[in-house]
Amino acid sequence: MPESLDKRHFKGARLVFQSGDESHSLDATLLISRLLVYTAKGDGSISQDETDKMLELLSSQLDIPNGEAMQHLSSAVMSLANDKEVAVKLRHIGEGLSQEEKRVVLSMVLDIAMADDELDDGEVKAVAFAGRILGIDQDTVYSELRALKQK
């Protein structure tokens, strides 16, 4: 990750940062779509309710069309199956997010975990993984999970 993280900011779904005299950007959609798919698959399969919720979240939170959201989700499924370094790549993107942005992404992940109104052990593990990728304290993540179970 670039050294000058203090100059990072979001432009739409792109995290923009400076490295020396050059400006670079990363697509936060990559991080979000992969964490959502990983969470949805936590119980073994992705249900239609979870797919619908992921499309809704990507479209509304990142202001992208439904078709583009579906492309991101399809790409996420493929990369999770084929990319051995996906966790490292996601962590690098997550490091560039502000605490508020991390909380928004965690909230999206929690919405997917509860899309079918059930929270199984695989989804709990997936949410905990997402929290680690985002650099969110695990006590905070499990506190959010406990609050979900009480609803």
Side-chain angles (χ1 to χ4, degrees), residues 110 113-114 116-121 123-124 127 145 148-149:
L110 291 165
M114 287 302 294
D116 57 4
D117 294 323
E118 294 180 27
L119 187 64
D120 92 349
D121 290 339
E123 289 167 326
V124 169
V127 170
L145 284 165
L148 278 180
K149 289 180 181 181

Side-chain angles (χ1 to χ4, degrees), residues 51-109:
T51 299
D52 292 344
K53 189 66 174 178
M54 287 187 291
L55 288 171
E56 174 192 326
L57 287 170
L58 287 176
S59 295
S60 65
Q61 294 289 326
L62 301 179
D63 196 29
I64 58 176
N66 233 20
E68 185 179 333
M70 182 56 99
Q71 288 175 331
H72 286 293
L73 294 176
S74 296
S75 173
V77 169
M78 295 304 294
S79 73
L80 288 172
N82 298 327
D83 189 350
K84 304 293 186 224
E85 300 293 321
V86 70
V88 172
K89 291 176 185 174
L90 295 178
R91 185 171 305 230
H92 283 306
I93 297 170
E95 288 171 354
L97 302 177
S98 71
Q99 287 303 316
E100 181 58 31
E101 290 160 343
K102 290 176 183 184
R103 298 285 298 175
V104 169
V105 174
L106 180 63
S107 176
M108 293 171 71
V109 167

